[in-house]
Amino acid sequence: MIFTVTAYYNFAKKLARQAHLKLGKVEIKKFLDGEIYARITEEVSNRNVYVIGASMPPSDNLVEFLLLINALKIAGARKITAIIPYLGYSRGDHIVKRGEAVSAKLIADILKCAGIDYLITVDIHSPRVVKFLKMPLINIRAQELLAHEILRSRKISKIMNRKDRVKKRIVIVAPDRGALPLAKRMAKIFQTDIAWMEKTRPRPDIASVSSLRGNVKDKIAIIVDDMIDTAGTIVGAFRLLKKAGSKEIIIAATHPIFAGPAISRLKKARIFKIFVTDTVPLTERQCFKKVKIVSVVPLIARVL
Ligand code: R5P
C-alpha cells in the first residue's frame, strides 16, 4: 500500500497505478490555528508500506509527512519506505559562514528519527547528504531519462545518427563543480566531451558563473544540473556559453523548483528547450512552452 502527502497526490496516483499498489486512504485536516491533523484509515499492522513525502517548502509539507510516518508507525506498519522525489533543504550540507545551521543534516536526522526504514529518492544534491541520511537508500539518477528524451528531438537525433559528428556538434556543460558528476554521466550517454564553469554565490539566491573551460564554439550545449531554483545558475551559464559561441542551448535539470524570478528569466533567455522531471509538482503557469516534463514515476515503480 502507498500513502502520500497532499502535495504529491497526483504523483502518488500515477505511481500506485504503475506499481500495482493500492493508494492508502488518509485523513488530513488543518486546525484553525494552522496545526495539521493526520490519520490513516487503513489496516497496516505488520505490512510493508510506502509513503510519498516532501521536505521542501512550505514547511507544512514536512510536518504532514512526519505525521503520516508517525501514524503508520503507531498503527504497526512493519517496514516504512519513504519516497521523497525531491529532497529539500539539501543544499545546506556544510557550513560556509560561522554560525550557520546545517539544514541537510537536521532534516536527515528528523526523517530517521520519525521512523523511516528505507528511502527512495532522486538525484540527491551531494554525497554529503547521502552520508547524513544514515539509512539504506536508493538514489535514482535522472540523467539517462532526460538524455533519452533529448535524444528523441529531431535536431539531436539527426546529429547522433552521424557518430563521427557528435563531438563536433554536441557538448555537455556543468554550470558548477557540483554538477560535474551529472555532466560526466550525460557525456557518457552522448559519447561526447564536457565543458564546465565555476560558480560563486556572493549572496543567497544570487549566482555568479564564470571561467568557462572546454570547447563550446558552434556546438549545441546541453547544460546539466540537479535543480533549477531561481534559474540564476542556468541563465548565467547560458550567457557565458552564448558569449563563447555556442549555437543552441538545451537544459537538462532534474528538479524544477522554479522559485521567484525563475520563469521570467527562463522565458527571456533564448533557450531551445528545458527538460526537467516531475519530482516537484508544477503549476500551470510554470509549465510554459519551452518546458518538457519527463516523469520519474516509471523509474520509481521499477524499484518498488
Ligand atoms: C547548486 O549547487 C545546485 O546544484 C543548483 O545549481 C542551484 O541550486 C540552482 O539554483 P539557482 O537556479 O537559484 O541558480
Side-chain angles (χ1 to χ4, degrees), residues 46-145:
N46 252 323
R47 292 184 65 161
N48 292 341
V49 293
Y50 297 100
V51 54
I52 302 181
S55 57
M56 62 191 200
S59 41
D60 276 3
N61 277 326
L62 176 63
V63 176
E64 194 184 322
F65 184 33
L66 295 173
L67 293 175
L68 276 182
I69 298 166
N70 185 251
L72 289 165
K73 202 116 199 112
I74 293 170
R78 185 170 42 201
K79 181 182 172 197
I80 302 176
T81 299
I83 300 167
I84 310 180
Y86 163 61
L87 189 62
Y89 280 104
S90 307
R91 284 172 287 176
D93 63 359
H94 64 292
I95 293 175
V96 180
K97 278 191 209 143
R98 198 163 163 248
E100 281 177 349
V102 182
S103 61
K105 168 92 170 73
L106 176 66
I107 298 289
D109 289 347
I110 293 172
L111 293 175
K112 174 92 186 152
C113 171
I116 293 177
D117 299 300
Y118 201 93
L119 172 66
I120 298 169
T121 185
V122 185
D123 278 340
I124 294 184
H125 178 65
S126 70
R128 273 195 201 115
V129 183
V130 178
K131 273 198 193 146
F132 291 156
L133 282 161
K134 288 193 199 113
M135 60 178 90
L137 61 87
I138 298 180
N139 180 23
I140 293 172
R141 295 300 193 174
Q143 288 67 53
E144 281 78 7
L145 183 77

Side-chain angles (χ1 to χ4, degrees), residues 106-241:
L106 176 66
I107 298 289
D109 289 347
I110 293 172
L111 293 175
K112 174 92 186 152
C113 171
I116 293 177
D117 299 300
Y118 201 93
L119 172 66
I120 298 169
T121 185
V122 185
D123 278 340
I124 294 184
H125 178 65
S126 70
R128 273 195 201 115
V129 183
V130 178
K131 273 198 193 146
F132 291 156
L133 282 161
K134 288 193 199 113
M135 60 178 90
L137 61 87
I138 298 180
N139 180 23
I140 293 172
R141 295 300 193 174
Q143 288 67 53
E144 281 78 7
L145 183 77
L146 293 165
H148 185 74
E149 200 58 36
I150 296 171
L151 288 166
R152 280 161 55 118
S153 76
R154 250 209 321 198
K155 196 185 272 267
I156 301 293
S157 66
K158 253 167 87 181
I159 300 173
M160 296 301 288
N161 283 339
R162 294 280 311 268
K163 290 277 174 246
D164 56 317
R165 289 202 179 170
V166 177
K167 285 198 175 199
K168 267 189 215 145
R169 306 281 305 278
I170 299 175
V171 62
I172 310 294
V173 182
D176 58 26
R177 278 169 193 246
L180 258 174
L182 309 185
K184 283 181 184 163
R185 285 178 79 89
M186 197 65 120
K188 232 182 193 169
I189 302 167
F190 281 84
Q191 298 202 342
T192 192
D193 299 325
I194 60 166
W196 65 98
M197 300 166 183
E198 294 291 338
K199 181 172 81 183
T200 54
R201 285 208 181 270
R203 288 198 307 281
D205 284 334
I206 304 290
S208 166
V209 185
S210 60
S211 316
L212 169 64
R213 314 257 168 79
N215 180 10
V216 300
K217 197 167 160 39
D218 295 325
K219 295 187 189 182
I220 296 176
I222 302 174
I223 306 176
V224 185
D225 208 349
D226 62 338
M227 64 183 91
I228 304 176
D229 187 359
T230 65
T233 303
I234 292 297
V235 171
F238 169 88
R239 289 198 189 117
L240 217 57
L241 289 167

Side-chain angles (χ1 to χ4, degrees), residues 261-275:
I263 299 296
S264 67
R265 281 178 175 168
L266 293 169
K267 276 185 176 169
K268 259 188 230 152
R270 291 184 158 273
I271 294 166
F272 176 65
K273 197 107 195 151
I274 302 159
F275 293 85

